[in-house]
Amino acid sequence: MITNILFGVGVAFFGFVLQTSIAGVNRKVVGRVQKRYGPKWYQEFLDIFKLLSKRSVTHGWIFDFGVIMALGGIIGTAMFMPITSDLVAFADFDNFFIFVYLIAVGMLGMAMSASGSGNPLASIGVMRALTTMLAYEVPFMIVVLTIIKLTGTSSVTGIAEFQQLASNNWFMIALPLGGIVGVMSLMGMIGKKPFETYIAPAEIASGPMVEYGGKQLGMLFIMHEITVFIEVSLFVHLFLGGAENVVLFIVKYFLVYTTLNIISSVYGRFKIDQVVLFFYKWPILMAISQAFVAIYLGWVI
Amino acid sequence: MLSTKFTKLSKEEVDRKWWEIGDFFRRNSLWMLMYCTGCCAIELPPAMTSAYDMERLGMGPMATPRQADVLLVTGYLSLKTLRRLIYTYEQMSEPKYVVGIGSCTINGGIYHDSHAVINQLNRYVPVDVYVAGCMPNTEAVMNGFVDLMGLIKTKKANGWKDYHARNEWYMANQKAALGEVKVHDEFHE
Ligand code: SF4
């Protein structure tokens, strides 16, 4: 039990280091897209440690407690994340629905803490984040439920191993429409450009984070990195066939995140109603037709 | 030969070491809040975008005062904006630094005899680095940021400590210029 928990914390730490370095490299990539030199690859680490080294103010205990709850909830979620098919902290507990439930703890902690700051922009940001979540979750769930129906298991490693069998393709290829929906939902999940309505620095002054500074903001940054790790690795396991070893996992992870970043670096920002309308129009249509084609007609490539 | 015996460091010594580590992070990741009041602000877009790219120094714009480390005051400050500037400065989390860009922040520049603007910025908030010129060109602005990093490294960027130490003096100056520092909410009152 103790070794499992230590291993789980190790997974969360691995996710933090991996995602923070890859995010730093990606800032350089985006810089090159914009014909700039870009920051150092470890800039994200410097930013986080700088924030932790600053003094900060508090706006009441809800504000502080919510930050700790968000960070703890997200670390707790990351502990269940498989890295390869064998590298799982809690084998048999890597169910897809565990992630769906546990990730809400972190998000609610953040929402609670942001509302505790009493800034109206923070409340607007939280509302927008929840609305965006409502928008991308529906098409994503339809696709994932289709996958679960096809594989007959909701365990994340189970789904990954199913795709590694010689007779099966990755779901990105086997369900092409569903794969596209997955990519679009992932962009909404990790808050990339057309869908980063709830951060919107120029419009609502970075939304939920408006009142944070110093140590609390540092903890929120760590939380954000681990959240992105969870979401991108879920995508790798569900759609790209998981990974047989750690190197393959890192390569797939890097490719997914960099592709999303490059797509996002050429887009502007949607308004919140455009986000919801967008997700409820094409992705839902594609997801439903994919489910119909795959389950009732049995057409899987 | 160096002694390998373990000697316990005093508390000040330990604090100083931690502070130096913190300074390394702070000077390599300066987040700015741009208070673009005057014409000098036009020099910041080329400094930020691909022409000079300040992100390679680890700098970047931030949305709110709480998140920012450096307050950029670009140009003249009318009395009305000075009030907001003081509010903004006091909201930033410490350690915080101020960079004054343009002659207007040093001695009033070409507006030195105007009734509507203040002349010396560092009578109201402590300024760490000045960039002179009307307007300073972008290389000078970038050089100012590099200077600020050097000051943080040599522990000379102590404006925020000065604001604590001589708070009465700053408050008195603010009062003398503004009469009352409080920002009234005309909409709700
Ligand atoms: S220093 Fe010159 S350019 Fe800058 S704000 Fe003053 S008048 Fe404008």
Side-chain angles (χ1 to χ4, degrees), chain A:
Chain A
M1 193 60 199
I2 294 286
T3 48
N4 284 9
I5 291 176
L6 283 181
F7 188 29
V9 174
V11 170
F13 184 71
F14 169 78
F16 167 68
V17 174
L18 175 71
Q19 166 57 27
T20 315
S21 338
I22 289 183
V25 174
N26 266 284
R27 275 172 73 171
K28 235 181 159 58
V29 171
V30 172
R32 291 295 157 89
V33 171
Q34 299 171 346
K35 289 199 175 170
R36 286 187 291 119
Y37 186 72
K40 312 174 190 77
W41 69 268
Y42 52 90
Q43 186 63 45
E44 294 269 309
F45 287 102
L46 294 179
D47 289 350
I48 289 173
F49 291 129
K50 181 219 43 187
L51 284 172
L52 293 178
S53 81
K54 285 189 74 165
R55 298 180 185 168
S56 53
V57 289
T58 174
H59 298 276
W61 70 272
I62 288 266
F63 183 76
D64 295 340
F65 173 72
V67 176
I68 294 169
M69 175 173 156
L71 184 58
I74 286 298
I75 290 179
T77 318
M79 282 165 73
F80 290 91
M81 179 53 76
I83 292 178
T84 68
S85 311
D86 318 309
L87 228 57
V88 197
F90 302 91
D92 305 333
F93 286 100
D94 58 342
N95 201 299
F96 174 72
F97 295 101
I98 286 192
F99 296 108
V100 175
Y101 274 105
L102 278 184
I103 213 165
V105 176
M107 299 293 169
L108 285 182
M110 171 138 184
M112 198 171 87
S113 149
S115 326
S117 73
N119 192 314
L121 294 179
S123 314
I124 295 178
V126 168
M127 287 239 304
R128 286 186 176 192
L130 295 180
T131 316
T132 316
M133 208 188 263
L134 213 65
Y136 65 70
E137 214 113 273
V138 178
F140 187 69
M141 271 321 240
I142 295 175
V143 175
V144 173
L145 290 180
T146 313
I147 290 178
I148 291 175
K149 173 85 176 86
L150 289 180
T151 51
T153 169
S154 61
S155 142
V156 172
T157 42
I159 294 175
E161 272 163 2
F162 180 86
Q163 301 170 67
Q164 286 163 15
L165 296 180
S167 54
N168 299 322
N169 270 324
W170 294 350
F171 279 121
M172 189 81 195
I173 300 162
L175 308 174
L177 284 180
I180 297 173
V181 174
V183 172
M184 287 196 274
S185 309
L186 187 64
M187 297 206 47
M189 258 183 235
I190 62 180
K192 284 292 165 197
K193 234 353 162 340
F195 311 119
E196 52 130 48
T197 327
Y198 54 96
I199 304 289
E203 187 188 349
I204 52 170
S206 69
M209 300 189 298
V210 59
E211 278 294 327
Y212 294 95
K215 297 191 171 55
Q216 285 107 336
L217 189 61
M219 285 200 263
L220 281 191
F221 266 60
I222 297 176
M223 175 215 152
H224 177 252
E225 305 290 1
I226 301 181
T227 317
V228 175
F229 165 73
I230 293 170
E231 283 153 354
V232 177
S233 17
L234 261 187
F235 184 84
V236 168
H237 286 293
L238 293 181
F239 288 94
L240 294 182
E244 285 91 352
N245 54 47
V246 179
V247 179
L248 204 58
F249 177 78
I250 295 178
V251 170
K252 281 183 183 175
Y253 188 101
F254 179 79
L255 287 181
V256 171
Y257 190 74
T258 312
T259 315
L260 293 190
N261 236 319
I262 292 177
I263 297 175
S264 122
S265 67
V266 295
Y267 271 103
R269 188 161 50 233
F270 278 168
K271 288 191 287 185
I272 184 69
D273 45 343
Q274 289 171 329
V275 171
V276 177
L277 275 182
F278 175 81
F279 272 117
Y280 282 176
K281 211 195 268 166
W282 297 112
I284 267 203
L285 210 67
M286 282 153 75
I288 291 179
S289 38
Q290 181 68 77
F292 182 77
V293 167
I295 295 176
Y296 287 99
L297 307 181
W299 293 349
V300 179
I301 300 171

Side-chain angles (χ1 to χ4, degrees), chain B:
Chain B
M1 201 180 123
L2 279 175
S3 156
T4 49
K5 217 165 78 193
F6 178 73
T7 45
K8 205 160 177 304
L9 293 173
S10 69
K11 187 162 181 309
E12 287 79 51
E13 208 47 10
V14 175
D15 282 352
R16 191 179 62 79
K17 289 226 148 85
W18 275 114
W19 191 256
E20 274 170 9
I21 295 173
D23 267 348
F24 169 75
F25 292 121
R26 281 190 283 270
R27 72 169 180 270
N28 280 302
S29 152
L30 289 170
W31 289 350
M32 320 173 291
L33 183 73
M34 292 172 286
Y35 201 79
C36 297
T37 52
C39 12
C40 281
I42 206 72
E43 291 300 322
L44 288 174
M48 268 188 299
T49 50
S50 45
Y52 290 91
D53 183 26
M54 64 168 64
E55 203 185 10
R56 73 200 145 92
L57 305 178
M59 305 186 69
M62 270 290 147
T64 72
R66 298 255 188 240
Q67 303 163 356
D69 309 300
V70 190
L71 179 62
L72 299 187
V73 186
T74 54
Y76 50 81
L77 277 166
S78 71
L79 293 178
K80 209 168 178 179
T81 47
L82 177 63
R83 247 182 221 131
R84 270 78 181 175
L85 180 88
I86 294 165
Y87 264 47
T88 310
Y89 180 72
E90 291 188 347
Q91 277 184 26
M92 290 167 65
S93 37
E94 290 168 343
K96 51 190 173 187
Y97 314 102
V98 181
V99 176
I101 295 180
S103 318
C104 281
T105 54
I106 301 176
N107 58 7
I110 58 172
Y111 296 108
H112 66 96
D113 54 356
S114 164
H115 64 279
V117 303
I118 55 144
N119 284 353
Q120 282 182 34
L121 178 60
N122 73 351
R123 287 167 56 85
Y124 308 97
V125 290
V127 181
D128 295 298
V129 174
Y130 280 118
V131 181
C134 178
M135 49 199 40
N137 67 0
T138 315
E139 284 96 339
V141 174
M142 296 297 286
N143 196 30
F145 295 144
V146 177
D147 282 353
L148 176 63
M149 289 175 191
L151 287 183
I152 296 174
K153 187 172 184 184
T154 50
K155 301 203 189 79
K156 287 194 194 119
N158 287 331
W160 58 280
K161 285 186 191 157
D162 190 49
Y163 195 69
H164 283 297
R166 294 196 298 148
N167 197 257
E168 276 92 50
W169 186 74
Y170 284 111
M171 294 288 244
N173 285 341
Q174 291 165 5
K175 267 225 156 57
L178 300 173
E180 185 192 28
V181 182
K182 186 172 184 299
V183 176
H184 282 287
D185 187 347
E186 284 107 2
F187 185 69
H188 288 104
E189 276 172 12

